[in-house]
Amino acid sequence: MFSLGSWLPALPGLAWGWALLDALLRGLVGACAVSVLCSLLKVYLYIQCVNNPERRAEKEAIAAQRPLLEPLHVLVLTGVLALVGSRVAALVVLEFSLRAISTVLSLGKGAHSSQLYLLCQYSLGCGVSCALSFLLEGAPHQSWNLVLAAGLAGLLALQARRLARHVCVLYELHSRARYCGVCILLLASGHGIPRLLRNALALTFAVADLAAVELINRDFLSTAEAVRFWTPLTICYTLLVIYMQEESREGPGRALVFRTVLVRMGGLFILLLTVGRWTDILHVLVSLLGELWCLLRAGVLLESCWRQ
């Protein structure tokens, strides 16, 4: 495997340093993907609130979010995704994919879609990281490819954040005056943002699921080892999906969302105590922090989805 460090002389600890750099770059790409998702959802929910006078309080709450906290959110999420190993990240991706399919089949389309997009933030970051690990494994100049991907992802995240800031400040004025091309476009086709996100997320998680299965299976030397791992994992995930379907009947709420996160990570923690490694246990705890961080940051948007 060739990377940025392959052009430099071999020194003690140098390979470890370049591996850490690659992990940080993958984490940055995943964090930027989450930032783009949140920015576009913020635009969509704000437009929906503007079009409904009864949701004025929600509109003001969305607009009051501090944009200076967004770089901090990306920075923290980058660190979390860099620390989480590919094995646990792959398990998080597979768990969310199963949960998303179950939710879509049971609830159908509608207001639940926006909530599901917000709940997939951390899983999306893990999915992007897994996909990059799999697609770039053995690629020439891997680190340079990750630098390019991080640059493009950062540019997209910056433009999406600028769009959200523009909409929250000037959309009402520009949509009435009809002299801003961006706001006129959003006025005409802003309702299509969920469909755009749905297609993008479906493609991303399809690639991430394939990468996740491959990343997990490469650690097994025989079919028997794989069966000993996948059998309890399948049972655990099935029970989690059944539990969350029962919980969802209570109705949306902040306490329910956080309780679901604790149950999911708790189930994964217990599973890996029996079939995992000690590093997996540490990575599950880091994943729990990442999930909670994403949900705390998206609290205002989640409230708007529930009221919608």
Side-chain angles (χ1 to χ4, degrees):
M1 179 178 65
F2 299 96
S3 64
L4 190 60
S6 64
W7 295 354
L8 300 177
L11 296 174
L14 191 60
W16 180 87
W18 292 123
L20 177 60
L21 175 62
D22 289 348
L24 286 172
L25 290 173
R26 288 194 296 269
L28 178 58
V29 176
C32 289
V34 174
S35 178
V36 172
L37 172 67
C38 291
S39 295
L40 292 180
L41 278 175
K42 184 176 182 179
V43 170
Y44 171 72
L45 292 174
Y46 185 86
I47 293 176
Q48 296 299 308
C49 292
V50 169
N51 295 333
N52 188 348
E54 297 180 357
R55 301 176 63 185
R56 182 176 181 84
E58 297 176 46
K59 179 194 69 174
E60 294 176 352
I62 294 174
Q65 286 187 300
R66 298 179 181 178
L68 294 179
L69 293 179
E70 183 62 25
L72 176 62
H73 175 68
V74 172
L75 181 63
V76 172
L77 192 55
T78 297
V80 170
L81 293 174
L83 289 175
V84 174
S86 59
R87 186 182 176 97
V88 172
L91 292 175
V92 170
V93 171
L94 293 175
E95 185 273 333
F96 175 79
S97 298
L98 181 61
R99 181 159 47 101
I101 293 174
S102 174
T103 302
V104 170
L105 292 178
S106 61
L107 299 178
K109 301 178 182 179
H112 298 281
S113 300
S114 299
Q115 177 182 336
L116 188 62
Y117 298 152
L118 288 172
L119 296 180
C120 83
Q121 291 179 77
Y122 181 72
S123 301
L124 173 62
C126 289
V128 172
S129 180
C130 285
L132 288 174
S133 298
F134 175 70
L135 295 175
L136 295 179
E137 187 175 14
H141 315 309
Q142 178 182 149
S143 297
W144 287 116
N145 294 331
L146 287 172
V147 168
L148 178 60
L152 293 174
L155 181 61
L156 285 175
L158 180 61
Q159 293 302 320
R161 192 159 66 244
R162 286 180 175 175
L163 174 64
R165 190 181 308 123
H166 176 86
V167 168
C168 290
V169 175
L170 298 172
Y171 176 78
E172 287 187 87
L173 174 63
H174 287 177
S175 60
R176 288 196 302 265
R178 306 293 177 92
Y179 61 79
C180 173
V182 173
C183 293
I184 293 176
L185 178 63
L186 290 173
L187 181 65
S189 58
H191 60 276
I193 292 178
R195 183 172 62 253
L196 171 66
L197 292 177
R198 182 177 66 246
N199 295 336
L201 289 174
L203 177 61
T204 301
F205 277 102
V207 176
D209 288 337
L210 294 176
V213 172
E214 180 61 29
L215 289 173
I216 293 175
N217 284 335
R218 71 181 181 183
D219 293 333
F220 304 127
L221 299 178
S222 64
T223 304
E225 290 185 11
V227 171
R228 282 197 298 269
F229 181 84
W230 284 106
T231 301
L233 179 67
T234 303
I235 296 173
C236 178
Y237 280 2
T238 302
L239 293 176
L240 282 175
V241 169
I242 294 174
Y243 169 80
M244 283 180 284
Q245 289 297 330
E246 293 295 328
E247 286 286 294
S248 64
R249 296 177 182 176
E250 297 181 6
R254 185 183 296 269
L256 175 62
V257 170
F258 285 102
R259 186 166 68 245
T260 300
V261 170
L262 293 175
V263 170
R264 286 170 43 225
M265 289 301 168
L268 190 58
F269 181 85
I270 295 173
L271 173 68
L272 292 177
L273 279 176
T274 59
V275 297
R277 308 163 182 165
W278 70 268
T279 53
D280 294 335
I281 306 303
L282 177 62
H283 293 158
V284 170
L285 297 177
V286 175
S287 293
L288 175 60
L289 295 178
E291 286 271 15
L292 295 177
W293 176 260
C294 290
L295 291 177
L296 287 173
R297 174 61 178 154
V300 174
L301 299 182
L302 277 172
E303 291 286 348
S304 180
C305 289
W306 295 330
R307 293 173 182 174
Q308 183 179 343

